[in-house]
Amino acid sequence: MIRSKTHWPVFVVYSGWLANALGSDEIVRLSQDDGQWVMAAKNYANTRFSGLDQINVDNVKQLRVAWTFSTGVLNGHEAAPLVVKDTMYLVTPWPNILYALDLNQAGAIKWVYRPNPSRAAQGVACCDVVNRGAAYAEGKIFFNTLDNHTVAVDAATGKEVWKTKLGAIAKGETMTMAPIVVKNKVLVGNSGGEMGVRGWLTALDTRTGRILWRAYSTGPDKDVLIGPDFKPPYVSGQNLGATTWPSEAAWQIGGGTVWSWISYDPEADLIYYGTSNASPWNAVQRPGDNKWTSSVFARDPDTGMARWAYQWNPHDLYDYDGTNENVLLDLTIAGQERKVLVHADRNGYMYVVDRLTGVIISAEPFVFTNTVKRVDLKTGIPDLATEKEPQLGKFVKDICPAPPGGKDWQPMAYSPGTGFLYVPHNNLCFDMKTMEVGYIAGTPYVGAEVAMKAGPGGNRGFFTAWDPIRNRKVWDIKEDFPAWSGALATAGDVVFYGTMDRWFKAVDAKTGRELWKFRTGSGVIGQPVTYRGPDGKQYVAVLAGVGGWAGAVVAGQLDPRVPYGALGFVGAMKDLPEVTGGGGTLYVFALPEELP
Amino acid sequence: MGSLERLAWLSSAAAVASAIFPAFGQEWGTRPLHRPGAVQLLEVPVSGNPIVPRREPAIQNPYANDAGAIVQGRKLFESLNCSGCHAPFGGGGMGPPLSDRDWTYGGEPAAIYLSIAQGRPNGMPAWSRALPPQSIWQLVTYIRTLGGAPAPDAVPAQPAPNRTRGSQR
């Protein structure tokens, strides 16, 4: 794990204790090699921090394009490029093409793998046809297709090793998340919280693609993989995934999908991930807490059995998915060494949680919110503002944050150098009217009319530096549009992110001062990465190509005059088509030859 | 999807449609209903560029401009979750917008009818076994009021736009 500010140079020394995590030690070693980038979040702790410092605050202004690559796809590019030795791997949005590019030859194509996913899958993907990236292990590249296949491809040859079908588009399921590999298992989950999909996380054998276990987010304990070792910090009782719903029929179509990030602590041997909103959005149809939607699980990767769980948003009212990343840090808090996970929830609160027990250490708002007044640290229950509760058939106005939350999927980074988290996020509010909705398999199961708008101040996004020990913002940068890209932190004290209005930016990790920016062809919603090329130089790479939920008005060519489009996101984004078109292009940057 | 699975899905969708909208299938319009014949439907051009000039008049929506059908069509649009994909007022989302003038598979009433009945490859479900023709025509009637009709054939619910989309999904 990455250590806090004063300890971080020590972490490499600690890699010895990781050897007990069979099969994962190779991945830990690879993820600590800053020459490579072998999983979307860089490492198991999800810090997106690179020790490379060739590019630094003094010379970053001279950064220039080394080479580019067009993916040939127009939809939203949310993926992180992978770098393994001298090859870069890119997975595109549907049709999920996997490219291998030669870093010895400025990105010449080595091979192309086309999984040919079903066309119809596009019609059940809630929020554009995105893919968030691939994972490397054991000589193979693993990724998911929109039509619910996990694929293993030989990293050297591009030949398919195995392909396993995991879900059904006829039920509204898709797969968009980047897998991670833990102990010879590929971990993947489904998407479809807007389609009444029942969420799950599944482990596949890296060698064969055989399904080893599947943990549902809802239903009885045997389906959720809850046994005697399950010790949730704030609740007790059996089969809560069923008893907190009005009926079996309700939890069968109740959401809790697993479409975002997974972290892994090799020492505790636990994986951590969040579950989506409850279905339908209209909460009146599902009285109860609706466990374990909008929650975080800690599980044993070998068996899938849950160790603890905590529900960020019981009986979710506003599509507040709990899927945002959990960054694993070892911090000194109030004089005590704490093993924590840090999570910026859609509800606008930044949680610091003891990752061994699930007990909340702190929860402070990082963006304007009028839905959750505070989080009770004794009970773990968020205290809701009743005046913003949705009403059937009537618009409730100016609810903040909007369904994409104070922050959505866009992953934050952590620098052990500064001790700050770098959080790309939203500043959105919305009006909401709920209504009864019927479940028809393969169609949306929402029951709400939503129109989003900018939050206080009028800027729709922020890029915020946050101190997780002092629980406060250090600095922020206002962004006109939601900051929908990932963040990248480096030992050069330069932090990178992209914007939907076509800028890729480098800012000072300490102060937030803008150091450099580059005008991309399309808006940036991808995850920037950095690596050391075969020539020994540091490179920074990012995919441009606007889209995703926030950019659906461009990617889907929606009608900007109707605010309810894209589940209400169009209301806040009607001017996006005036500043960017679509189009997937990889940009790779480096310092000029004479530098450094 | 196998054919058995597909049948099961369709019958369950029909059952759900009946359950959530019990009176669907009834006729609300004031005019007699014309069910388009199979031969007529086969001749509805999707390309917009028929090689053989048509002499026969295009298939007419039996409910064109019928206020009752617009109301019923809107109810169906919501209760069958059309609004979930295409958004309230047809702004688009998971499915393309219906409120602009760009129609991937044709914006004439018969073409919209076929898109609903047969489904389309990028994810539009096929509703022909779940819905009777009159319900599909009611949906067509409502959709034609959303602003995308080349020439309005019903009282518009929204101002008619001029916007077209650049490419097709």
Side-chain angles (χ1 to χ4, degrees), chain A residues 438-439 441 443-444 557 559 561 565-566, chain B residues 9 16 81 91-92 99 161 165 167:
Chain A
Y439 175 77
T443 72
Q557 293 150 25
D559 189 338
R561 299 161 311 157
Chain B
W9 177 82
V16 170
N81 300 343
S99 55
R165 281 177 290 145
S167 64

Side-chain angles (χ1 to χ4, degrees), chain B residues 64-113:
Chain B
N65 301 314
D66 183 311
I70 294 171
V71 171
Q72 292 309 323
R74 179 174 178 166
K75 285 184 180 169
L76 287 167
F77 191 77
E78 288 165 3
S79 63
L80 298 173
N81 300 343
C82 310
S83 58
C85 280
H86 297 285
F89 303 104
M94 298 179 226
L98 308 172
S99 55
D100 63 18
R101 293 208 176 156
D102 189 26
W103 292 90
T104 312
Y105 303 104
E108 294 306 312
I112 299 174
Y113 181 101

Side-chain angles (χ1 to χ4, degrees), chain A residues 15-306:
Chain A
S15 60
W17 54 251
L18 301 168
N20 61 359
L22 282 173
S24 291
D25 47 354
E26 181 212 0
I27 298 170
V28 170
R29 184 178 54 75
L30 288 173
S31 70
Q32 287 175 345
D33 173 3
D34 289 317
Q36 312 189 65
W37 194 284
V38 297
M39 66 182 94
K42 173 73 160 62
N43 49 40
Y44 281 145
N46 278 235
T47 63
R48 297 172 187 271
F49 173 79
S50 168
L52 296 182
D53 59 1
Q54 205 176 85
I55 297 167
N56 57 45
V57 286
D58 297 322
N59 62 22
V60 66
K61 60 181 175 292
Q62 303 190 61
L63 211 56
R64 59 191 63 175
V65 169
W67 52 275
T68 65
F69 178 77
S70 169
T71 67
V73 180
L74 295 176
N75 290 81
H77 284 62
E78 290 186 348
L82 295 188
V83 174
V84 184
K85 298 187 191 109
D86 58 357
T87 307
M88 179 180 287
Y89 300 91
L90 293 181
V91 58
T92 73
W94 185 95
N96 304 132
I97 303 163
L98 179 66
Y99 290 104
L101 306 177
D102 189 344
L103 298 179
N104 287 311
Q105 297 184 67
I109 295 177
K110 276 189 168 176
W111 50 255
V112 184
Y113 170 79
R114 295 172 199 276
N116 299 315
S118 156
R119 254 176 202 289
Q122 298 172 92
V124 291
C126 79
C127 307
D128 196 9
V129 296
V130 298
N131 183 290
R132 301 191 180 84
Y136 170 83
E138 303 166 29
K140 294 185 276 284
I141 303 291
F142 303 95
F143 71 104
N144 295 317
T145 65
L146 195 66
D147 69 346
N148 305 297
H149 291 80
T150 300
V151 191
V153 176
D154 186 301
T157 64
K159 297 279 180 284
E160 182 180 300
V161 181
W162 52 257
K163 184 173 182 179
T164 302
K165 188 181 180 203
L166 293 166
I169 59 171
K171 288 198 294 182
E173 279 177 302
T174 51
M175 289 172 72
T176 58
M177 57 108 69
I180 75 162
V181 179
V182 172
K183 300 170 88 175
N184 311 113
K185 293 168 193 68
V186 190
L187 302 175
V188 297
N190 60 354
S191 309
E194 281 57 56
M195 313 292 285
V197 164
R198 185 184 180 200
W200 46 255
L201 177 75
T202 295
L204 302 136
D205 188 323
T206 50
R207 289 154 291 198
T208 61
R210 193 168 61 87
I211 294 175
L212 301 172
W213 52 259
R214 172 168 287 187
Y216 286 96
S217 304
T218 65
D221 285 353
K222 68 176 169 48
D223 292 9
V224 186
L225 300 189
I226 283 175
D229 289 343
F230 183 62
K231 297 195 169 47
Y234 301 104
V235 293
S236 58
Q238 295 193 324
N239 300 314
L240 295 175
T243 60
T244 57
W245 292 86
S247 66
E248 174 172 347
W251 58 253
Q252 288 277 8
I253 54 174
T257 55
V258 182
W259 57 267
S260 201
W261 307 109
I262 306 173
S263 324
Y264 174 55
D265 178 346
E267 189 182 22
D269 197 18
L270 289 174
I271 55 165
Y272 303 92
Y273 68 94
T275 63
S276 86
N277 63 291
S279 297
W281 287 15
N282 175 20
V284 172
Q285 288 176 241
R286 43 176 174 79
D289 272 359
N290 314 134
K291 286 184 173 20
W292 293 93
T293 62
S294 195
S295 301
V296 51
F297 274 108
R299 290 186 185 275
D300 177 335
D302 287 318
T303 60
M305 296 300 288

Side-chain angles (χ1 to χ4, degrees), chain A residues 342-345 348-352 362-366 412 421 423 466:
Chain A
V342 188
H343 169 91
D345 197 71
Y349 280 74
M350 184 76 74
Y351 292 76
V352 179
S362 65
E364 294 294 328
F366 62 92
M412 57 189 179
L421 291 151
V423 195
W466 182 272

Side-chain angles (χ1 to χ4, degrees), chain A residues 471-490:
Chain A
N471 299 315
R472 63 170 195 214
K473 181 176 76 181
V474 185
W475 48 258
D476 66 22
I477 300 167
K478 288 185 173 65
E479 287 293 346
D480 188 10
F481 291 95
W484 205 258
S485 85
L488 165 66
T490 67

Side-chain angles (χ1 to χ4, degrees), chain B:
Chain B
M1 184 158 49
S3 57
L4 269 178
E5 196 183 343
R6 183 178 176 76
L7 266 177
W9 177 82
L10 285 168
S11 47
S12 71
V16 170
S18 314
I20 60 181
F21 198 70
F24 98 91
Q26 287 182 18
E27 200 176 321
W28 286 273
T30 51
R31 278 167 242 186
L33 177 77
H34 304 286
R35 180 176 188 148
V39 173
Q40 280 176 293
L41 284 173
L42 281 174
E43 293 181 1
V44 172
V46 172
S47 76
N49 182 28
I51 296 295
V52 180
R54 307 295 313 159
R55 282 194 209 98
E56 310 88 55
I59 297 173
Q60 297 297 314
N61 176 0
Y63 290 129
N65 301 314
D66 183 311
I70 294 171
V71 171
Q72 292 309 323
R74 179 174 178 166
K75 285 184 180 169
L76 287 167
F77 191 77
E78 288 165 3
S79 63
L80 298 173
N81 300 343
C82 310
S83 58
C85 280
H86 297 285
F89 303 104
M94 298 179 226
L98 308 172
S99 55
D100 63 18
R101 293 208 176 156
D102 189 26
W103 292 90
T104 312
Y105 303 104
E108 294 306 312
I112 299 174
Y113 181 101
L114 282 178
S115 289
I116 297 169
Q118 298 178 315
R120 295 300 179 209
N122 288 351
M124 174 70 188
W127 291 92
S128 61
R129 294 195 212 173
L131 292 176
Q134 56 265 49
S135 297
I136 299 179
W137 279 126
Q138 286 160 350
L139 279 164
V140 171
T141 311
Y142 172 64
I143 289 164
R144 295 269 297 176
T145 68
L146 293 175
D153 56 5
V155 184
Q158 293 249 301
N162 283 313
R163 187 175 162 270
T164 58
R165 281 177 290 145
S167 64
Q168 302 192 330
R169 244 183 101 182

